[in-house]
Amino acid sequence: MDTSQDTTTRALDRRTFALGVLNGGTYTLAVACIDPETLLPAFAVSISDNVIWVGLLSGLFAAGWYWPQIFASRTFETSSALMPHYRISAVVRVFCVAAIPVVVYLWGATHPVLAVSLVSILLLAFSSAGGYGLIPFMTVSRDAMPSTMLGTYFGLRYLLGGLLSFAVGFWIEDVLAESSPIRFPTNYALVFAVGALVFMLSSLLFAVVKERPRTPSRHALSMRMHLVRAWRMVRDNLNMQRLARARVLYHAAVGLSYPFVVPFALKVLGMPPAAVGILLSLKVASYSIANILWGRLSDNRGNREQLIASSGTLLLVPAFTLISPHLPDDALFRIGGTAVTWQFVSIALAIMLVGASASGQLLGFNAFLLEMLPPRRRSTFMGAFYLMVLPTAAVPIIGAAAIGTSDNFALGMIVSGVLGLLMTLQIVHLREVRETQGS
């Protein structure tokens, strides 16, 4: 009997559920300290005035999550236990994230190009290890609960993480402020080091999870046949194709806008780097609060409706960013050392929508994918899915090249909005699969 069979009535493993939620909360807190939409762009702009480094950091960080899937999925299919693979992934990621503050501290001021290059490589290695461990994490989580709990599970992970991360943003604002006694690059190294410590705790929490028994495939196919089978599985599943197209369009849209909101604020509006801390707090607060809505929508109305609803928030990010220079820049009040103007409010709304849309899309795509996939071939499906998404990792680099030294942000933001509309059209045509399970 295949104990990992997908049914809506699978008994809930409370221990795995609780550890998974705690892992997700601390992981979100850790990633907030190397946030790819706020802190990393601010760090890149501090290193060099050229936004190409923003695109490079964002693109390499994204690429690592996708490329290992199709190669590792062949191994996972014949493995009777997946948690050892997750633990290998965790060890590599802990090493990488711990090395980042060391690199920044040692060479951030004296050899900035070397520092940002090494940080880029470490981020690629970190996310590649994360990509290797993603299928084990998703499979172990999926096998521990019924499909009607997936929205709650992912929602609670992001909710807890947002609440934990909120106060950290204000601490970061103090650390990065001009009045702070901690100067560049020690200030960024300190923030990254805190993230590394929290990530160690996060990894340990899920590493002690006990997975349920599973029935592996008896024989491993050659890599060529594995790729052929993956292609056939996707070819014969129209819903999978639409979901993949939507995910590709999503990453292309956000790759042209999300990493560049903070550089836009710093370079076009002249906001101080310390403002990034406040923007981070607002982003994680939005990320956290929105998950209450997204989780309920996913569990009660289905993932298709939840994805459609969260798509609307994505489309507003470029709009609020581009209108900000046309608003008054008179100070309304101050938060710490940061003056809050109407321009800042517009950027803050854009960043809050980044958090809300990212949490909604991540929750919806993950839950939809897990509900859709047959358990015995889940690894192959997921490998093929992420392989199709891989080329979008180059989008932030293309976007940075288009912006260039002239700070021409408008084109990328406009194209991002168009791609977001196309993504929404793909989601609208998805077929909800939950009602067919357990039959």
Side-chain angles (χ1 to χ4, degrees), residues 34-48 50-51 53-55 57-58 116 123 188 192 257-264 266-267 276 283 351:
I34 54 169
D35 187 66
E37 279 92 34
T38 54
L39 275 173
L40 285 180
F43 169 70
V45 170
S46 298
I47 285 282
S48 170
N50 193 332
V51 294
W53 291 111
V54 176
L57 287 169
S58 180
V116 76
L123 285 172
Y188 281 99
F192 296 156
S257 56
Y258 287 14
F260 303 108
V261 175
V262 164
F264 182 94
L266 297 176
K267 295 169 71 64
V276 172
K283 175 193 166 182
I351 286 293

Side-chain angles (χ1 to χ4, degrees), residues 60-243:
L60 290 179
F61 185 75
W65 290 105
Y66 310 133
W67 75 265
Q69 316 289 349
I70 192 65
F71 303 102
S73 59
R74 177 170 165 265
T75 300
F76 297 151
E77 280 198 357
T78 57
S79 295
S80 59
L82 295 181
M83 281 305 297
H85 299 285
Y86 173 84
R87 294 177 185 124
I88 292 171
S89 160
V91 169
V92 175
R93 285 190 289 167
V94 165
F95 171 80
C96 293
V97 79
I100 288 175
V102 176
V103 168
V104 172
Y105 179 77
L106 291 178
W107 298 300
T110 56
H111 299 86
V113 173
L114 173 64
V116 76
S117 299
L118 289 175
V119 169
S120 299
I121 294 170
L122 287 168
L123 285 172
L124 175 61
F126 172 88
S127 58
S128 295
Y132 178 79
L134 185 60
I135 291 178
F137 165 77
M138 296 278 275
T139 300
V140 171
S141 295
R142 177 67 185 95
D143 290 344
M145 65 197 72
S147 62
T148 51
M149 291 292 292
L150 286 172
T152 299
Y153 175 70
F154 287 114
L156 285 175
R157 282 170 56 88
Y158 307 143
L159 174 62
L160 177 61
L163 294 174
L164 291 172
S165 303
F166 181 73
V168 170
F170 292 96
W171 171 71
I172 291 173
E173 195 266 349
D174 287 337
V175 172
L176 300 184
E178 291 184 4
S179 58
S180 172
I182 307 173
R183 312 308 298 172
F184 182 87
T186 307
N187 50 3
Y188 281 99
L190 175 61
V191 173
F192 296 156
V194 170
L197 289 172
V198 177
F199 183 78
M200 292 179 194
L201 172 62
S202 171
S203 299
L204 180 62
L205 284 168
F206 201 80
V208 297
V209 162
K210 296 179 180 179
E211 64 182 299
R212 284 180 167 173
R214 59 191 304 270
T215 304
S217 298
R218 294 181 179 180
H219 305 289
L221 296 177
S222 67
M223 192 65 212
R224 177 180 173 276
M225 291 304 300
H226 181 67
L227 291 170
V228 169
R229 184 172 66 179
W231 166 247
R232 288 174 178 170
M233 293 168 73
V234 174
R235 181 195 61 190
D236 296 337
N237 190 324
L238 182 59
N239 227 28
M240 178 75 162
Q241 294 173 32
R242 287 171 175 162
L243 188 68

